[in-house]
Amino acid sequence: MNGSPPLVLIALSVLLPLLYPLLATRRGWHGALRGALPLLPVPALLLALLSTAPWTLELPWLLLGSTWMLDELRRSFLLLTALLWGVAGLYAVGYLGAQYLRRFCVFWGLTLSGNLGLVLAADIASFYTFFTLMTFAAYGLIAHVGSGRARFAGRVYLVMALCGEMAMLAGFLLAASTGDSLLLADLNVGIAGSANSALMTALFIVGFGVKAGLPLLHFWLPLAHPVAPTPASAVLSGAMIKAGLLGWLLTLPIGEAGWFAWGQFLMLMGFAGALGAAVFGVRQRDHKTVLAWSSISQMGLLTVLAGATLAVPGQVSALLPVIGVFALHHGLAKGCLFLAVGLVIPTHRLLRWVVWLLLALPGLSLLGLPLTSGQFAKGVMKDALLGQPDLPLYGLLPLLLQATTLATLALLVRYGWLLGRQLEGGNIPATRWLGWALAVLCSAVVFWYLPTVTSVMSARS
C-alpha cells in the first residue's frame, strides 16, 4: 500500500453499501433503513477528499489477485459518484414511502457498491465484478414501481445490458489471453500489440457504449428515466452513465500510436449523439424523458473527448483532466435537474423567486454561462479540442461545438417549459428540499473547491 489512506476507510467505501441491504432483513427498522441512505457514500467521499496523492492497494487474496487504486482520473469519478449518491440519498429519505421501501434500499445499496467499486478497481476481475454488480442491481431501481411501463423499460435495459456485458467480457478474455498482466493499466499496450487489436477495441467500445449512451446503443435511457424513482434517475444519469466513459478510458489503447481512425469514429459518434439527441428530445412530453435525451447529448461531448485522446496519443495527459472536470460538472448539474422534478413551488412570493432561480442555475451551467461551473468546464474542453490541430474534424470543430450549445439550449428550454407546467404548490418533506439544495450547492459552489477542479485551474494559470 503506497501512501494510501487507512485501510478501514477504503474497505468501508465499498463494503458499507454492499452490506447495507442486510438492514432490510430486520423488521421494524424502516426508519433506520431510510435514514441511512445519505450516509452510505460518506466513506467514499472522505476517501476522495483525503487522498492527497495517488495510491495503490494490493489484495492478493481477493478474486484472481485484486489491485485497487486511486489516481487523479479515478478521483474525479469517485468525487462525482460519492457526492451525487449522497445528495440523492438524502432526497430519497423524503421521497420514499413505506411501499417497496425494502426492495428499493436493497437495490440502491448494491448498485452504489458496484458504482464505487468499479472506480477503485485497477484489475480486470475486480472491475468487471463491480461493473456487473452495478449493471444488474440497477434493474431493481428502474423497474421499482412495478408498472407495465417500468417492467418494459427494465426488460429493454436488461437486454441492452446483457449485450454490453457479453461484449465487455469477450474483450477482457481476449485481453487477458494475449497479455501477461491482469491490470487495466497494461491493457493498452497488450491491445496495441495484439493481432486481435481491432476486435478488442470494437468490443470495448460497444460494451461500455451501452452504459455511456452511444448512438444506436442508447435505447434504454429514454425508457428507463421516466419510470425510475426520481433519486434513482439522478444517479443513473449523473453517475452511472459515466461508468461507461471510465471503462473506455481504462481499456482502450489510449496513449498508443496508430488509433487515429478509431478516435475519429468515436468523435463522429459523439457529435451524432450530441446533436441527434436534441432532435428527439425536444419532441418529448415528459420532463424526465427530455432529461434522458439531454444526458445522451452531453455524453456525446464526453465521447468526443474520449475519441480525441485516442486519436492524438501525445495529448493524453492534457485531455484526461479535462474529461474528469467535464464529467464532474455534467454529473452534478444533471443530478440537480432530475431532483427538481419532485419539488413544489412555495406560496411565498420571495421564496418562489429564489426557488426558480436555483432551478435555473444547473441549466445555465450546462449552457456554459459566465460565473457557472459550466463556463469553466466547457472552456477547458474547447481549449483542449481547439488547441489540437491534428484532431479529426479540426476545421469543423468550432461550428460543431456551437451547434451542440444550441442543442443543449433547445433541450433545456423544453425541459423548463414542461417542468413549469408540472410544478404546483404544496408541502413536501424537508429532506427532499435539503437533498436538492445540497445538489445545487455542490454544482454551483463546491465544484470550484474540489481537488480535480483546483488542479486543472492551477495548471491553466
Side-chain angles (χ1 to χ4, degrees):
M1 198 161 50
N2 303 325
S4 65
L7 180 60
V8 64
L9 187 60
I10 301 174
L12 280 176
S13 298
V14 176
L15 290 180
L16 184 62
L18 184 64
L19 298 178
Y20 163 74
L22 293 177
L23 279 179
T25 64
R26 308 289 296 181
R27 293 188 178 275
W29 282 39
H30 284 184
L33 193 64
R34 185 188 288 108
L37 286 171
L39 303 178
L40 300 181
V42 170
L45 179 59
L46 292 175
L47 181 64
L49 295 175
L50 297 178
S51 299
T52 56
W55 54 261
T56 302
L57 174 65
E58 302 287 345
L59 301 170
W61 47 269
L62 184 63
L63 298 174
L64 301 178
S66 295
T67 301
W68 292 6
M69 68 180 297
L70 193 68
D71 53 20
E72 283 303 312
L73 177 65
R74 287 178 170 85
R75 196 181 193 187
S76 303
F77 286 85
L78 189 63
L79 278 169
L80 168 61
T81 304
L83 281 172
L84 189 52
W85 279 86
V87 295
L90 182 59
Y91 183 98
V93 173
Y95 180 89
L96 298 171
Q99 189 178 27
Y100 308 136
L101 174 64
R102 292 185 182 183
R103 184 169 70 192
F104 178 90
C105 291
V106 166
F107 288 115
W108 183 271
L110 295 177
T111 308
L112 173 57
S113 179
N115 201 172
L116 292 171
L118 70 88
V119 175
L120 297 174
D123 65 284
I124 291 175
S126 297
F127 183 85
Y128 182 75
T129 299
F130 283 121
F131 199 100
T132 303
L133 173 63
M134 179 195 72
T135 295
F136 290 107
Y139 167 81
L141 299 178
I142 294 171
H144 170 72
V145 297
S147 65
R149 286 183 63 201
R151 289 195 299 269
F152 175 74
R155 287 196 297 271
V156 173
Y157 170 78
L158 274 183
V159 170
M160 298 297 296
L162 280 171
C163 292
E165 294 292 318
M166 287 189 292
M168 284 168 45
L169 181 59
F172 281 133
L173 291 175
L174 282 173
S177 65
T178 57
D180 298 325
S181 172
L182 293 179
L183 294 178
L184 293 171
D186 297 330
L187 275 186
N188 57 349
V189 177
I191 292 176
S194 171
N196 295 316
S197 59
L199 175 60
M200 283 187 281
T201 301
L203 288 170
F204 285 133
I205 287 177
V206 171
F208 293 112
V210 172
K211 194 68 68 193
L214 197 68
L216 303 182
L217 301 174
H218 67 280
F219 302 111
W220 65 275
L221 274 162
L223 296 174
H225 287 304
V227 298
T230 296
S233 295
V235 295
L236 277 166
S237 181
M240 288 172 54
I241 197 174
K242 306 298 187 302
L245 171 68
L246 181 61
W248 281 338
L249 299 178
L250 296 179
T251 59
L252 295 178
I254 289 173
E256 299 294 319
W259 300 91
F260 184 87
W262 285 102
Q264 183 178 45
F265 170 76
L266 272 182
M267 291 184 69
L268 285 170
M269 294 297 285
F271 279 121
L275 300 175
V279 176
F280 291 95
V282 295
R283 301 169 59 191
Q284 305 303 315
R285 298 183 179 180
D286 178 84
H287 33 45
K288 291 175 73 175
T289 308
V290 173
L291 288 180
W293 284 106
S294 174
S295 294
I296 296 170
S297 180
Q298 293 292 305
M299 282 303 297
L301 291 176
L302 285 164
T303 302
V304 169
L305 286 170
T309 61
L310 196 58
V312 187
Q315 298 299 319
V316 171
S317 60
L319 287 169
L320 286 183
V322 173
I323 294 176
V325 167
F326 195 89
L328 188 59
H329 143 73
H330 171 260
L332 293 175
K334 188 52 64 70
C336 296
L337 293 175
F338 267 108
L339 295 180
V341 171
L343 300 180
V344 297
I345 294 298
T347 55
H348 192 280
R349 185 173 181 179
L350 178 59
L351 287 178
R352 186 185 310 137
W353 280 106
V354 171
V355 168
W356 274 115
L357 175 62
L358 294 179
L359 284 171
L361 272 179
L364 298 176
S365 179
L366 286 177
L367 287 172
L369 265 66
L371 303 179
T372 66
S373 62
Q375 180 191 21
F376 176 70
K378 298 191 82 168
V380 294
M381 177 196 70
K382 290 179 179 179
D383 290 347
L385 292 175
L386 298 179
Q388 306 296 330
D390 295 330
L391 278 177
L393 310 172
Y394 181 76
L396 295 175
L397 281 180
L399 178 62
L400 290 171
L401 291 174
Q402 290 177 6
T404 60
T405 300
L406 292 177
T408 301
L409 175 62
L411 288 166
L412 289 174
V413 169
R414 180 62 173 170
Y415 163 76
W417 185 73
L418 291 171
L419 183 68
R421 295 181 61 192
Q422 180 261 341
L423 291 181
E424 299 177 355
N427 296 314
I428 57 174
T431 51
R432 197 185 299 188
W433 280 113
L434 185 57
W436 167 74
L438 285 177
V440 175
L441 181 68
C442 289
S443 176
V445 179
V446 176
F447 171 87
W448 297 97
Y449 300 96
L450 294 173
T452 300
V453 179
T454 55
S455 63
V456 173
M457 291 177 70
S458 61
R460 293 187 79 198
S461 59

